[in-house]
Amino acid sequence: MSKMSTTGYEALTSIDAVTEGLNSVGYISTRSISTAVFLAHGLRKPILIEGPAGVGKTDLAQSMSRWLDLPILRLQCYEGLDEGKALYEWKYGKQLLYTQILKEKLNDVIGAGGDLTSSLGKLSEFEDLFFSEQFLESRPLLTAMKQEAGSVLLIDEIDKSDEEFEAFLLEVLSDYQVTVPEIGTITANVPPLVILTSNNVRELGDALKRRCLHLHIGFPEADRERQIVKARVPDVEEKLLGQLVGFVQGLRDLDIKKKPSISETVDWARTLLLLHANALDEAFVRDTLNVLLKHESDIAAVQPELNKLVRSASDSHASGRTASGYPKMS
Amino acid sequence: MDRMLTNFIRALRSSEVHVSSGEAIEAARAVSIMGYSDRDTLRDTLACVLAKSAEEKDIHDHLFDLYFSQRPASSPNTSSGSDADQDGENDGNASGQEPPDDLFDLATSGDETAINMAVEKAAEEAGLSDIRFSTQVAYYAQQMMKAMGGDKMQGQLLDALRARTPEAEEQANEIMEARKDMMMRARDRAEQAFDIFGAGETEQFRDDFATRKALSALDYRDMERMKILIAKIAKRLSVKHSRRRRKKNKGQLDVRRTMRANAGVDGIPFNVVWKQKKRDRPKIIAICDVSGSVAQYVRFLLLLLYSLNDAVPDLHAFAFSHRLGPVDDVLKDNDFDPAMKKIMNTYGMGSTSYGQAWSDLKMEHWNLIDRRSTIIVLGDGRSNYGDPRTDLFREATQRAKQTIWLCPEGKSVWGAGDSEMLRYQPYCTQMSHVATLKDLERAVDEILASYA
């Protein structure tokens, strides 16, 4: 890795360094996440992250860019996304404008009185001008290749793109190079750290999966979730924090359509903070349940269980407190 | 690449985790970066490189625990050397050709490390990683005993028994105990090896067998396996067919969209847009004869169709024996098994009349059938000599895109007795004999492919 010393990846020295680094920018990592990030750098392979919505897939890429202080280039995928939007496009307008200017100056350029052959010869000198880098509109993928100190390239929701686009990505992801027919192949001096995310709308192709490290981020355990909420909403009281995380954890065990993920827990913590709640009670929960659950049927399904859930959340927290000896806040 | 890793990858492959050679090489590179020293890191590393979905991750973690659980004890440079440890190692080395000096001494020494090492060595010699079926466990255990010097122990035991002295009697008992103990260890080790290398393949073998078995011959025990299999088939078909592909019709210019796309560049057509044909979403109307003889097949067809909701969003199912009625709501509101029971109770009792079914279909549900829809009829065409109403059936097939008739009876008996199959045949796009899950899969696959 000695030749990487001039890049922005120096901080990626060990798994623990990754965990700490991500921690310093407010991303609570797990061992498997840190391992994947470290390996991605070591093996120069992209990471494909799968998992339910809102567990911090996109956030991992953003946190990495913050931590390593590298630019993040984000490519949001959607049906119909093509090379023109992902890789590069010619600046047609500018080309057109220059053509117009050239047309007016044509006589000056060619010089009056020249014969046809010499005129053409002079004209052909300009030909390459129109297909040079100055007319190239660089899109995220190409921009990422051109970063001198490396970058974080986030290809978000790859499962929403078409199969053709997936195939097109293969060259970019395995060789870190892109081919522009008029100019040639542009190879990245320092390959970007690539993160692909997928919500499993469709099964991804084997070819793509083979080129990636696979990371599955599921719902967090109670301990990690507490840390995450704490990092995101520092003002929340320790007691409330334990209760609300316990409640959300209990909620995930129920048979509901869309289970609340971390982003919902964080939103809920903010909501409770706004309402100046300092302990969970059933009425509060009932009023704010729509922050956590996004389907009417889910809310209806949970209603009868509320009492039990709230009670067990506060109980489990009470015992957890004495056992682990949290410092008393407030 | 080292043997430990290749064997582990082999175990993964046998459990339906597809590891390509490229990935195997990646895994070796990853391990060379991370090292074997930390178990959790190794697990995360391999999971990251080798397992490519949540299910594969579960299989991987399970196998990892099994496979690497036996390793620490066996690696020679762990747990620094007591005398017995040294002995065990020497024994192990010596046993390249010859069995260790004395299995009895080893077994009674109480030195776990040495015993484990001997067992491991014997496993290697017996080729334990080739184990495929659970019935081979005893055989491999026997082979391992032999490799560890079981024959010699047997000899000792016979000698002791022949001596007929109280001391010898005592010794014989001890030897028998020791032998039992070692045999148990060998068996445990062989069973573990079966879990790692054989269990996955045995499952695959059973699955293969079940897909080829006649559906009517399945009994209650097979049902759970069939459900899992059908879920797998449904997933396969969904992946294959659920994506809506645009076909580019090169040559047909879409003038309006081209003009719009190039408005920014003064209407000069830099970007040319071609007309595109969108493919229809499959619409399936399944009409199922639920009289006793066909009911079993209906279960599987409906289960498969309902598992396909990604690829077939527009699905209507009808059941009939005498009168015909829709069963979508029943299937939607209940779990599958109770729903089928309900359907059988409601529609399965009458005497079968195909003519009545078509006329019910025409009266109530005619509007469902349009040029996008595929009619699947699942039935044996045995109409109790009633009027088959081929006129109505013909009308239905003419409204639909295609009509597929799946018949559980073989071609040779079509038209025999009260079977009206031959009279319906001219109007069907296809009429085929469906006996196994494989046939069913092929039929549904073809229907979905026709929408591409």
Side-chain angles (χ1 to χ4, degrees), chain B residues 191-318:
Chain B
E191 266 165 19
Q192 194 185 19
F194 167 71
D195 283 343
I196 295 171
F197 294 106
E201 267 181 39
T202 308
E203 280 298 296
Q204 267 175 28
F205 174 77
R206 286 208 190 122
D207 285 355
D208 268 6
F209 182 72
T211 47
R212 281 167 223 284
K213 200 169 170 185
L215 290 176
S216 53
L218 290 169
D219 56 28
Y220 190 72
R221 277 176 316 171
D222 296 320
M223 277 308 169
E224 286 311 306
R225 179 178 297 278
M226 292 309 269
K227 274 187 190 161
I228 296 166
L229 275 178
I230 286 181
K232 266 190 203 164
I233 290 174
K235 188 154 185 221
R236 199 156 56 215
L237 291 178
S238 292
V239 169
K240 197 167 157 194
H241 296 289
S242 64
R243 309 222 61 222
R244 193 138 97 161
R245 277 201 208 93
R246 286 202 206 88
K247 271 192 198 158
K248 283 202 171 160
N249 270 10
K250 288 242 160 141
Q252 285 238 46
L253 186 69
D254 189 332
V255 180
R256 273 197 301 168
R257 291 188 54 208
T258 304
M259 282 172 72
R260 208 180 318 145
N262 293 291
V265 287
D266 230 5
I268 300 165
F270 280 101
N271 286 327
V272 181
V273 184
W274 304 104
K275 276 187 180 156
Q276 287 171 344
K277 215 190 228 171
K278 268 188 186 162
R279 94 181 221 212
D280 288 335
R281 288 234 180 248
K283 176 176 180 180
I284 290 181
I285 297 170
I287 301 171
C288 307
D289 177 356
V290 289
S291 61
S293 47
V294 199
Q296 184 83 312
Y297 295 86
V298 173
R299 287 181 71 89
F300 294 115
L301 179 69
L302 286 183
L303 191 56
L304 179 56
L305 288 178
Y306 269 84
S307 314
L308 274 174
N309 47 11
D310 278 352
V312 190
D314 208 350
L315 170 67
H316 304 274
F318 298 94

Side-chain angles (χ1 to χ4, degrees), chain A residues 15 31-32 35-36 38-39 42-45 48 50 79-80 89 92-93 95-96 100 159-164 201-203 209-216, chain B residues 20 22-23 26 29-31 33-34 38 40-41 44-49 51-55 57 235 239 242-246 264-266 268 270-271 310:
Chain A
I15 296 176
R31 208 180 161 76
S32 57
T35 309
F38 180 64
L39 272 178
L43 298 175
R44 292 180 158 218
K45 290 189 96 176
L48 169 65
E50 289 186 306
E79 211 171 319
E89 206 163 21
Y92 296 121
Q95 280 174 334
L96 206 65
Q100 297 284 352
D159 50 332
K160 300 240 167 72
S161 69
D162 304 310
E163 259 161 21
E164 298 92 70
V201 167
R202 71 177 167 89
E203 192 88 354
K209 281 189 170 182
R210 261 211 308 281
R211 280 170 177 76
C212 298
L213 299 171
H214 188 275
L215 175 64
H216 184 269
Chain B
S20 67
E23 283 165 319
E26 283 304 327
R29 275 180 61 202
V31 169
I33 294 175
M34 295 297 197
D38 186 77
D40 289 334
T41 308
D44 287 343
T45 304
L46 292 178
C48 201
V49 180
K52 302 281 150 131
S53 69
E55 297 94 73
K57 219 136 259 193
K235 188 154 185 221
V239 169
S242 64
R243 309 222 61 222
R244 193 138 97 161
R245 277 201 208 93
R246 286 202 206 88
V265 287
D266 230 5
I268 300 165
F270 280 101
N271 286 327
D310 278 352

Side-chain angles (χ1 to χ4, degrees), chain B residues 330 334-343:
Chain B
V330 185
N334 299 290
D335 282 340
F336 189 74
D337 284 322
M340 280 314 290
K341 202 168 269 174
K342 247 185 195 169
I343 292 170

